[in-house]
Amino acid sequence: MKKTDLYKSLSQKIDGRMKQAGTPERFAQGGTVDRKEQRKIDQAKGLIPFAVKLDAQLADTLRSQATARQLDLNALVDDLLRKGLAAA
């Protein structure tokens, strides 16, 4: 192998480890639950992942409302969707 191929292989190994490592605590604001544990907790609550694409301004508004109400984003979106569906 050439030296550049060795470095490329090493960088791919490092990238793979970084993707599996998870988010450091300083960025997760003290969250100590890893992904597998969180998935089990969510499944026990009956929650499923539901991905949607939102406008950036709407997402910012949702985040600011969540911090103002001291809720996490999932709880805020759940509350707003339930109110919207009940009104319809």
Side-chain angles (χ1 to χ4, degrees), residues 24-42:
E25 242 184 76
R26 65 177 186 255
F27 296 119
Q29 298 151 347
T32 57
V33 180
D34 67 345
R35 283 189 239 164
K36 288 183 181 179
E37 291 175 12
Q38 185 64 47
R39 194 176 311 126
K40 288 179 184 177
I41 293 169
D42 289 345

Side-chain angles (χ1 to χ4, degrees), residues 7-8 32-33 50 82 87:
Y7 284 124
K8 190 183 292 186
T32 57
V33 180
F50 186 77
R82 288 182 192 274

Side-chain angles (χ1 to χ4, degrees), residues 39-54:
R39 194 176 311 126
K40 288 179 184 177
I41 293 169
D42 289 345
Q43 285 176 347
K45 291 180 182 178
L47 302 175
I48 59 167
F50 186 77
V52 295
K53 293 189 180 197
L54 301 174

Side-chain angles (χ1 to χ4, degrees), residues 78-88:
D78 179 69
D79 184 42
L80 293 173
L81 283 173
R82 288 182 192 274
K83 286 180 182 177
L85 291 172

Side-chain angles (χ1 to χ4, degrees), residues 47-87:
L47 302 175
I48 59 167
F50 186 77
V52 295
K53 293 189 180 197
L54 301 174
D55 183 50
Q57 290 177 336
L58 179 60
D60 291 337
T61 304
L62 288 172
R63 286 187 199 103
S64 64
Q65 283 187 10
T67 55
R69 293 185 188 184
Q70 297 180 344
L71 295 172
D72 66 334
L73 191 57
N74 291 330
L76 176 71
V77 171
D78 179 69
D79 184 42
L80 293 173
L81 283 173
R82 288 182 192 274
K83 286 180 182 177
L85 291 172

